[in-house]
Amino acid sequence: QVQLTESGGGLVQAGGSLRLSCAAPERTFSDYAMGWFRQAPGKERAFVAAITWSATRTAYANPVKDRFTISRDNAKNTVYLQMNSLNPEDTAVYYCAANIRGAVLSGAPEHYNYWGQGTQVTVSS
């Protein structure tokens, strides 16, 4: 079982920025593709961004493209989500997830094997 721990959520005004982090103690972290998802109240969990194990490829959902950036530091076993130009529609619980198929970029939650507990992001207007 891989333990993923998100941090960096909080309350921010519209137009502001936040950086989320997701850390894993396991050294196998560097083998996994990683993804960020979010779930707003009353809505399904939605794909946000993904990155391969080597960070050579990334993918983004259309609503966040050009505003969010996913990155990783395998030496620190950490993946990041830099979120800029936030708007109230970005309010959600954000989850990181690990896919043991490290070269696969996927936006489907069922393709991910391990999940964090989530961190709340609230954007006020």
Side-chain angles (χ1 to χ4, degrees):
Q1 186 72 17
V2 173
Q3 301 290 332
L4 302 174
T5 303
E6 300 99 335
S7 61
L11 174 64
V12 64
Q13 288 189 329
S17 299
L18 283 174
R19 187 176 82 155
L20 305 183
S21 300
C22 172
E26 290 79 7
R27 65 178 178 84
T28 52
F29 169 88
S30 61
D31 296 334
Y32 301 148
M34 298 296 296
W36 286 96
F37 291 78
R38 65 187 183 185
Q39 188 165 19
K43 294 190 176 181
E44 301 265 326
R45 191 168 296 191
F47 170 69
V48 175
I51 188 168
T52 54
W53 71 273
S54 60
T56 53
R57 291 186 297 133
T58 58
Y60 296 91
N62 285 336
V64 308
K65 207 170 288 185
D66 300 326
R67 298 189 298 123
F68 291 9
T69 302
I70 188 170
S71 62
R72 66 190 298 160
D73 184 342
N74 286 342
K76 296 182 178 179
N77 287 356
T78 302
V79 64
Y80 303 98
L81 184 68
Q82 177 66 44
M83 306 186 294
N84 298 329
S85 301
L86 286 161
N87 59 63
E89 290 69 40
D90 296 315
T91 295
V93 177
Y94 284 71
Y95 299 90
C96 71
N99 181 350
I100 61 174
R101 296 174 296 170
V104 174
L105 280 178
S106 174
E110 61 267 27
H111 291 169
Y112 289 80
N113 306 93
Y114 306 107
W115 292 83
Q117 81 289 350
T119 186
Q120 176 70 46
V121 172
T122 303
V123 185
S124 62
S125 57

